[in-house]
Amino acid sequence: MAKSENPLDVYRRQQRKKELKKNKNARIKARDEKVAATRAIDEVKAEISLLERKRDKLFGKSRGDKEGDNEGDDADEDNKSGGLDSNETKKLERLRKELKIVTAASARRKELHEQAQREQELQLIAAQKTVEG
């Protein structure tokens, strides 16, 4: 069955694509917020190292030695899945993104904590001055 070229149908298809894109972005944002709130840096690093060890074991760390002089950058090797299947490769990419998110969230929490401590100290100093004065 061929798609009709009715302008109304074309418009509806375009609107549906926009809606799907918007929903996808909302799901990604919600997932990132949940990760930032619940995951620990050490937990994410452990999962990444587990997958990287699996990749290195299956892919072989001595790959460059066997093939001679290759002009492979470290970034190129990171992009290659090696011995990982597509799901594991996607999971590794997602974990790297999660690590960035969790690290940033941790830094924000630390900054907010320090700011709250400074404000509390200022309030304490102000209260002491009113008692003294």
Side-chain angles (χ1 to χ4, degrees), residues 7-124:
L8 189 56
D9 289 340
V10 172
Y11 175 75
R12 287 181 183 147
R13 280 195 303 272
Q14 289 173 346
Q15 292 303 103
R16 180 68 178 149
K17 284 182 184 180
K18 286 180 185 178
E19 182 182 347
L20 290 175
K21 186 175 181 178
K22 179 181 172 185
N23 290 342
K24 179 180 178 181
N25 291 336
R27 286 192 314 269
I28 290 171
K29 183 177 178 183
R31 182 176 58 203
D32 290 349
E33 289 173 356
K34 181 180 177 185
V35 164
T38 59
R39 299 284 300 249
I41 293 173
D42 295 335
E43 178 184 348
V44 177
K45 284 183 179 180
E47 288 186 46
I48 289 173
S49 65
L50 181 71
L51 282 173
E52 286 177 342
R53 275 187 271 133
K54 182 177 179 181
R55 179 197 64 203
D56 293 343
K57 181 180 176 186
L58 294 173
F59 194 51
K61 265 301 211 186
S62 60
R63 179 179 151 261
D65 296 338
K66 292 179 183 175
E67 294 181 7
D69 290 332
N70 285 343
E71 295 181 9
D73 295 333
D74 290 339
D76 291 338
E77 190 167 333
D78 283 344
N79 291 334
K80 294 181 181 176
S81 62
L84 301 178
D85 62 17
S86 63
N87 288 336
E88 290 171 330
T89 303
K90 288 178 185 176
K91 183 174 182 179
L92 184 58
E93 291 172 4
R94 178 66 194 162
L95 286 170
R96 287 180 177 151
K97 182 178 178 184
E98 285 181 10
L99 181 61
K100 290 177 184 176
I101 292 167
V102 171
T103 304
S106 176
R108 279 194 306 270
R109 281 192 297 268
K110 184 177 179 181
E111 183 180 316
L112 289 173
H113 179 70
E114 291 172 355
Q115 182 180 0
Q117 281 182 333
R118 285 191 301 267
E119 290 176 2
Q120 188 177 18
E121 290 172 0
L122 291 174
Q123 289 175 352
L124 183 60

